[in-house]
Amino acid sequence: MESKEGYWFDSFGTCPSCENIIIDLIVSEGINRHFNSKPDGNQKVFRAYPQTTSFDEPNEVVPEYLRKDFIEASLIITLSPKASAALSRRCLQTILREKANIKKGSLDREIQQAMEHLPSHIAGAIDAVRNIGNFAAHPIKSDSTGEIVEVEVGEAQWNLDVIESLFDFYYVQPSLLAQKQEALNRKLTDIGKPPLKTKL
């Protein structure tokens, strides 16, 4: 099938590990009419089934509604960076509002508030979200994070990278520390000492 993007083909195969079917869509800049109209020239391959992502599934301690947004944003990042960025912005804003004790406002202003309470490496990364997104030039991005608008190159990918860091900082590490404290308190109780009064 021909379109403005080029010539489209489908490709079917089987995974050698799990033996499940694999379906790819291929768009090619040309077509070789001498070999059964096969793709010719530069090609792009889109995995139609099964859906895959380069991101790991978030830890189970992350709330389900955030996990769902993150997974969906990672699955569609290749097919629609705009839709992926819209989902990841919503996810980012939800995390900041629930965990960073900020005043609600535009995403741009909320990021600036959150940066004051984050470790420097995460603050720098989240500030890059603001800079890459160029919120000042596109107010709709900061005031309506769910809107599907144009995104800068690499923005959707970077958003998800930063959200992974925030998941670790706000959910995973506190959960691990809580587990370690619980284990320590059990040992203290066993030897007749009082448990820790403050959380680690």
Side-chain angles (χ1 to χ4, degrees):
M1 178 186 299
E2 185 177 3
S3 71
K4 63 180 181 179
E5 291 86 5
Y7 296 89
W8 287 88
F9 303 85
D10 53 34
S11 173
F12 298 86
T14 303
C15 175
S17 298
C18 65
E19 298 185 351
N20 284 336
I21 189 171
I22 297 174
I23 304 173
D24 290 331
L25 296 177
I26 303 169
V27 59
S28 172
E29 66 178 13
I31 186 170
N32 191 327
R33 302 185 186 280
H34 299 289
F35 293 94
N36 298 321
S37 298
K38 296 292 185 181
D40 194 21
N42 292 328
Q43 302 172 18
K44 289 183 179 179
V45 179
F46 302 92
R47 178 60 45 85
Y49 182 85
Q51 289 182 306
T52 59
T53 174
S54 60
F55 291 89
D56 293 331
E57 187 169 328
N59 190 290
E60 61 183 12
V61 300
V62 177
E64 181 65 20
Y65 54 91
L66 294 175
R67 287 161 49 88
K68 288 175 65 176
D69 274 357
F70 181 88
I71 292 170
E72 185 175 349
S74 67
L75 286 172
I76 64 173
I77 191 170
T78 301
L79 294 176
S80 179
K82 290 187 290 185
S84 176
L87 282 167
S88 62
R89 288 189 207 111
R90 183 175 72 179
C91 187
L92 171 61
Q93 193 164 46
T94 301
I95 295 170
L96 297 183
R97 288 180 175 180
E98 292 184 355
K99 289 294 187 177
N101 297 319
I102 59 173
K103 294 180 180 179
K104 291 184 179 180
S106 68
L107 182 55
D108 178 52
R109 291 189 291 273
E110 290 178 1
I111 286 175
Q112 291 184 54
Q113 293 178 61
M115 287 173 59
E116 299 176 5
H117 310 289
L118 290 167
S120 58
H121 68 285
I122 299 180
I126 198 173
D127 191 37
V129 168
R130 192 169 59 90
N131 291 326
I132 294 174
N134 196 11
F135 294 140
H138 305 288
I140 192 173
K141 286 186 178 179
S142 56
D143 293 330
S144 303
T145 58
E147 293 287 345
I148 299 180
V149 295
E150 292 299 329
V151 298
E152 302 296 331
V153 175
E155 181 183 349
Q157 173 80 29
W158 185 254
N159 285 358
L160 293 173
D161 288 337
V162 170
I163 289 172
E164 281 189 319
S165 296
L166 292 174
F167 281 165
D168 186 66
F169 179 73
Y170 282 124
Y171 299 99
V172 178
Q173 292 306 316
S175 176
L176 292 175
L177 285 174
Q179 292 174 31
K180 290 180 180 180
Q181 181 172 349
E182 184 179 349
L184 177 58
N185 282 337
R186 286 197 298 268
K187 291 180 179 179
L188 290 173
T189 300
D190 288 343
I191 61 176
K193 290 188 176 183
L196 296 175
K197 293 182 180 180
T198 57
K199 291 185 177 182
L200 294 175

